Amino acid sequence: MARHHVIPGAVILGICFFLSLLVSISTPYVRVFDIVRTTFGAAGGVGSSNDRIVAVRWGIWGPCAQLAQSGDWNCVATGYAYGLDVGGQVVDKSWTRGLVIHPIATAAIFVAWLLSFSTHLTVTLIASLVSFLGATLTLIVFAIDIALYARVKARMNNIGGKTNAGPAFWMTLVVLVLATVSG
């Protein structure tokens, strides 16, 4: 028996998996997929005169800072739960610890995507439940992303920084919506 009605869910889960995988790679490995970014344009940067920082990007696996003098990006792969001191303003590792849930949600979405190819009714129902689990984990990690954004914005505003949500932040929101719809 053909099960054409499960094709849209499988396609949506595939898109979810791809976007979630990109987010899980994140900064510092792929600098453009950061959760939060801050720029220090008008003040000429923060830090000492020979290594002023003009921009900072927070990712899942570590931060990246752009140096004013050379324009180079200094990225540090610290693993999960890293802290960062920028101009005397500290964002503790407790604010980045929960970002590790991104790859866990990606794994759940991947399993749901694989299960969605089955033509067996029971496996399709399990795929729906695993998709719901992936959506729930994505909701939790999106709340963590919002908390990190709020903390970084509060800290960086103290030293004249302009903080914005990065592409990975918005991609996580898209994954949340699509994973909810696909289940």
Side-chain angles (χ1 to χ4, degrees):
M1 178 171 138
R3 305 203 25 106
H4 298 290
H5 63 281
V6 299
I7 293 173
V11 170
I12 291 171
L13 279 172
I15 293 168
C16 282
F17 170 68
F18 178 72
L19 290 175
S20 190
L21 182 65
L22 291 177
V23 171
S24 294
I25 296 170
S26 186
T27 303
Y29 302 112
V30 181
R31 193 177 61 241
V32 296
F33 295 127
D34 53 308
I35 306 292
V36 179
R37 53 178 60 176
T38 301
T39 55
F40 304 97
V46 295
S48 63
S49 61
N50 59 351
D51 63 349
R52 298 183 70 76
I53 296 173
V54 294
V56 179
R57 294 183 178 184
W58 280 266
I60 296 173
W61 306 113
C64 286
Q66 185 179 24
L67 304 177
Q69 196 170 29
S70 65
D72 292 337
W73 286 92
N74 182 12
C75 296
V76 181
T78 58
Y80 82 99
Y82 61 91
L84 188 61
D85 183 347
V86 179
Q89 297 295 314
V90 178
V91 177
D92 292 327
K93 63 182 179 179
S94 60
W95 292 95
T96 60
R97 184 171 287 127
L99 295 176
V100 76
I101 299 173
H102 277 283
I104 297 169
T106 300
I109 291 169
F110 179 67
V111 169
W113 182 47
L114 291 179
L115 292 174
S116 71
F117 290 113
S118 175
T119 58
H120 195 272
L121 180 62
T122 306
V123 177
T124 306
L125 291 174
I126 292 171
S128 182
L129 291 173
V130 175
S131 175
F132 177 72
L133 173 66
T136 303
L137 289 171
T138 305
L139 175 65
I140 291 168
V141 80
F142 188 65
I144 292 168
D145 290 351
I146 292 170
L148 176 64
Y149 170 75
R151 179 64 170 191
V152 169
K153 186 169 179 65
R155 290 295 186 185
M156 297 303 116
N157 280 349
N158 292 339
I159 54 175
K162 182 178 181 234
T163 302
N164 294 312
F169 182 91
W170 299 113
M171 288 166 62
T172 303
L173 177 61
V174 170
V175 169
L176 174 62
V177 171
L178 291 177
T180 304
V181 168
S182 71

